[in-house]
Amino acid sequence: MAKREYNFTDIEKKWQGFWEGCGLFRTDEGSSKEKFYCLVMFPYPSGTLHVGHGRNYIIGDVVARYKIMKGYNVLSTIGWDAFGLPAENAAIKGGVHPAVWTRNNIKAMKRQLHRWGVGYDWDREITSCNPDYYKWTQWIFLKLYENNLAYKKKAAVNWCPSCATVLANEQVVDGCCERCDTPVRQRDLEQWFFRISQYAQKLLDDISLLEGWPERVKTMQANWIGRSEGVRVDFMLEDSGKALSCFTTRPDTLYGVTFVSLAPEHPVIGKLISGTPQEKAVTDFVERARNQGMVERTAEGTEKEGIFTGKYVVNPVNNDKVPIWVANYVLMEYGTGAVMGVPAHDQRDFLFAKKYKLPIKIVIQPGDNELHADTMMDAYVDNGIQVNSGNFDGMPNTEAIKKIAIYLESKVLGTKTVTYRLRDWLISRQRYWGAPIPIIYCEKCGTLPVPESQLPVILPEAVEFKPHGMSPLAEVDSFLNTICPKCSGRARREIDTMDTFVDSSWYFLRYLSPKDDNHPFVTKKVNKWLPVDQYIGGVEHAILHLLYSRFITKVLYDLGSLGFKEPFRHLFTQGMIIKEGAKMSKSRGNVVSPDILIDKYGADTQRLYILFIGPPQKDAEWNDRGVIGAHRFLNRLWQKIADYEDVYAKVQRADIDINSLSPEAKTLYRQTNQTIKKVTEDMETSWHFNTAIASVMELLNTVDSFNVVIPNNAAEELNFHVFRYTMETILLLMAPFTPHICEELWEIMGNKPSIFHQRWPEYDKNAIQEEVAEIVIQINSKVRSRLSVPIDVSEDELKRRVLSDERVAGFLNGKKVINTIVVPKKLVNIVVK
Ligand code: ANZ
Ligand code: ZN
């Protein structure tokens, strides 16, 4: 009979159709099985996918298939994070409408996902730029607004004076406009914010609930929230009698203050300088610093700059008169926007003081070698003993931190406070391609939310895209002009759209009722299915997306709409695929197209390679030869099973009793069971696909040296049973990784599809125990030691173990081994001189 070919193209098409037909990924919500919600971060439809993207979806697919085989009722879904800047840029550049561009990309990406054999419950697909979705994003906005968690205030935007347009941060390159290279300026606009800062403490506390998250992501969340305990110290302004509050985490350094510096935006500056000789210079400086933009101002390498206001404050603990400066490194958004400068103990203050020749006053000494202000090369930031600090002299500074805070409070000179680095979430975008913010402005009635019954506020499709000027929405009269919901007078709509992070902050709730016209989500359903059991995505979302999703979940929990406080129970962040030392990306031109590889080797090869390339949470370097290796393995697997195609039907499957097996069959049977154990453990402990696959590969090596005989008698039948058992086990273990070939071979072996309706294999506990033999070790025929080894250990391995036995080594010390006599399973005699 002719050899059956591994015709992956036909096989893959066949099984993709089969899974679709049998609804393998269609979730039956009524099922009594335990639920498992497997979620990959929904992609931005940026265009065609490359193999680096594939890792994310393939991992998600493996998790879903594995859990199906483990007997769970799996929910595995996909959607499109479809609003955003690239679509709009494409419209401006190429004249394609963002909606068209987006829809085309979705189509291309869907095709790609299908070709990889990645399965989802496609009936639940969601697209964030569709009105049936963004209606509910707007609803979320209204809920926050109603609960005083959405508000409007002036905030700086990046403004390109030449394009006359607002730029997103990613459109500012080295302080200049990406398009025309003009220096970008900061401009204040009224913008919408979500009051996430109100949830800072809850977001911090509940990190403890995120048991299945990588430690480093939890740390990133905590750092971003950035809780600081400190004191607000009041410094009296010289002539006004008013206090200037400075936030410090180091009250122990209070006696060392030699200046105070203000953020350029600080409201007191105007009053301080008005009518003074410094007015012009300070105003100019403030203007310049504000145009620097936040990111640049706080960057490590940016030069610390400032200007003296001509005014002074008084240090409340020692009555020192200290100058007030304005400095670019002080941010208005943090603490009080005013900092007490302690150059001896803070590095930024030290550089600042050196530059502007301000005094340096040491108040903490290390204890061993004494510091001197004029010879210091850097600030001394470590712990030590208080000096020059009045009654606190001689005290360890760690104690002075507490004592000085208590002292300040008792004298009403300061208050202990907690500050968070987390700022309110700016959700306004001066963009077209986003969900319109559902707000109406009426001249008579003021700012009003769009009534829920009028949602969605539809984003008009017929607009003009120009590289210049305002958001296109500002020019669409039919959108702009509306009727006041309160007085029915003429009113106008908000033209800002929402940050796309709002769209993605709640989408995981929508998959449970994607077509519901009356509710954003159904409380009973989401309470049953969430938290998400396994969330999978890129580490680039480790901060903002996760934080915003956690925030919105907590708000909805507090409103009684959700019964859980955290949306994602386990989080897996996969590493990137690197090529030629750089992240794979279109702009770098180092992408590997999955289509060419699938045409040449099939999707299973690509899946296997991607999963085998290294620990899935680590970055990995792409290597074309590795793909060939993966392909070769699948061919070997194919051949091994296809070679006996005719035999499977003739030899019925039977239970295996390990005790009745030949030594060779016993070894194979044992290793098969050990492999089940290993693969299962690798899957259960944070998805070690690569080591799981490696152990299956080893098993196939053992099969290669196993003598498969087409059976003519009972003993040979037993032998074949073990072979069949091993091969079926390999297929079951490999099915989540390389599903198509496993389905096909499963069928060739005479089994009914789908292999995913089979239960994940369990190992025979008795079979994995290695049988051991007690070996007597003699040296020159005298018994010197004993050793337990696996009964089927090879002679070489036995010799190696004997020679590395500690007692034996002691006897051999300095002697020469002349001969080693081995009696298998019993004895080793070493002859020495
Ligand atoms: C005096 C001092 C002395 C400080 C010293 C530090 C070391 P964390 O820990 O990150 O919360 N600071 C306060 N408000 C600021 C603002 N708006 N912009 C820039 N810096 C600001 O940082 C708190 C410290 O950062 C505060 O403690 C203050 O400097 C500075 F040896 O006060 B410190
Ligand atoms: Zn009105």
Side-chain angles (χ1 to χ4, degrees), residues 303-319:
E303 177 88 20
K304 317 271 170 274
E305 286 180 287
I307 189 164
F308 180 43
T309 60
K311 295 288 161 113
Y312 295 84
V313 281
V314 179
N315 186 333
V317 288
N318 58 10
N319 293 324

Side-chain angles (χ1 to χ4, degrees), residues 254-255 316-317 391-392 402-414:
L254 185 50
Y255 287 83
V317 288
N391 291 337
F392 301 95
K402 292 172 216 145
K403 290 279 161 65
I404 294 180
I406 293 168
Y407 171 79
L408 289 169
E409 285 207 315
S410 72
K411 300 277 173 192
V412 207
L413 301 169

